[in-house]
Amino acid sequence: MLAYRAQPNPDAMLDRALAGVIASGGSLGDSQPRQVEFFSPNAQIYAQGDRATALYQVEYGVVRLFRLLSDGRRQICAFHVAGEVFGFADGQHHLFAEAVCDAAVRVFRGPIREDKSLLTLAMRELVRAQDHLLVIGRQTACERIAAFMVDLYDRLGHEQHFELAMSRTDIADYLGLTIETVSRVFSKFRSKGYIKLHGTRGVDILQIEALRGICA
Amino acid sequence: MLAYRAQPNPDAMLDRALAGVIASGGSLGDSQPRQVEFFSPNAQIYAQGDRATALYQVEYGVVRLFRLLSDGRRQICAFHVAGEVFGFADGQHHLFAEAVCDAAVRVFRGPIREDKSLLTLAMRELVRAQDHLLVIGRQTACERIAAFMVDLYDRLGHEQHFELAMSRTDIADYLGLTIETVSRVFSKFRSKGYIKLHGTRGVDILQIEALRGICA
DNA sequence: CGGCCATTTGAGTGTATTCAAAGTCGGTGG
DNA sequence: CCACCGACTTTGAATACACTCAAATGGCCG
């Protein structure tokens, strides 16, 4: 999981935004504004319905945000890796947040200060969700997997090799597929020489342009 | 389309937010900060790639926001009705915005002022997108249509009768289905007595609780 | 009233799912 | 260090749901 470890954040705006998150009204002595919390795999960070009182930044590891139907069907709305901010919600959380693997999360508690940069971060999250809508609503299984691989490749710094933090079940629930379909497409891409699989989590990207082409 | 006409906005916060959108730096004489623009059916309000320089509030009519794939596949991310605000984007628009029917849109130009209420509006939009992800990613055709009908029913003020501003094609592209499937499910719901159809756009909701039950 | 376009309905197909079984990986304990 | 166990993953076969293609119907506007 080396690829998911925190790296120096290239986005200066993000730091400015988070520096301004804490309202100055509270006593600094009581709250620890930049406390880091640690989570084991599958540990819950917050639940749907919880009051939204903080923002979170992934320090290392991976976090999944998801919704559930009453019969257990799950839709993962987003994975977040080191440096990314999550927890945007109006009043109460509509999503569950869990650690995918061992993860550390920096928690920004207290009332949120008005901040244009914070709005920008929320809007980026919105764009991500809208992009994901297109993938899930209008793309085939192969296109979805290709888009997923390309997205990870880009977000993890264009490393040819990386480890998937998430299981096939997580990937399936992210892409609106079944684990069997995910597995079949992985095998197909392997047989075509686009990727190479090392055990169950390791991935080599052999033909990134081919994968980009599949995304349409 | 009466149901889509502007109504007194029940959400005081929204007005406060928009009142604060315009930065005080600009000359009031030059810019018309609350200009209303009118659009014919299918007229473009902005395009993907356009610089995002304004926010928009629907005065009357319906607006669709969508993304396109190079081969023409379309995913409508949201419909917006009277009173709702759209146009959130970081730098440039990632979506197209078009009028579904005759529509009027109030445009708020100028640099966006930092505003907590604005952040709240953006987060609501995010929640809508995330809810939609679950519908598209994990629900059947019947569940998607039921969710769509219930959503419209709730947003248009619980009127038993309303007119659909959007075509079957629009509905299909919103729900990640084909027009034929949309039509079949409409017919199915009609034969079950959940809804009644008047021509091609008119809808009577006969058993809203049955529809809510289908959404799971 | 006529023509055009959107919608509905029908028949057959295909992609992804379900159900089932085999295989592989990773972790644990001897 | 190796063997075993359990869980996850892969593969296979059959099914189902939604899609494609096609034709008929219906609504709307001139």
Side-chain angles (χ1 to χ4, degrees), chain A residues 167-188:
Chain A
S167 67
R168 298 291 184 269
T169 301
D170 280 332
I171 297 171
D173 285 349
Y174 180 64
L175 297 175
L177 300 170
T178 59
I179 56 172
E180 293 93 333
T181 298
V182 171
S183 182
R184 275 182 248 272
V185 176
F186 270 47
S187 298
K188 182 178 175 182

Side-chain angles (χ1 to χ4, degrees), chain A residues 51-83:
Chain A
R51 267 180 55 80
T53 58
L55 285 178
Y56 307 83
Q57 185 178 30
V58 179
E59 195 74 9
Y60 66 80
V62 178
V63 170
R64 61 175 166 251
L65 306 184
F66 61 96
R67 292 212 51 182
L68 289 175
L69 289 170
S70 49
D71 62 4
R73 280 176 288 176
R74 182 177 71 157
Q75 177 64 47
I76 294 179
C77 296
F79 292 112
H80 284 295
V81 303

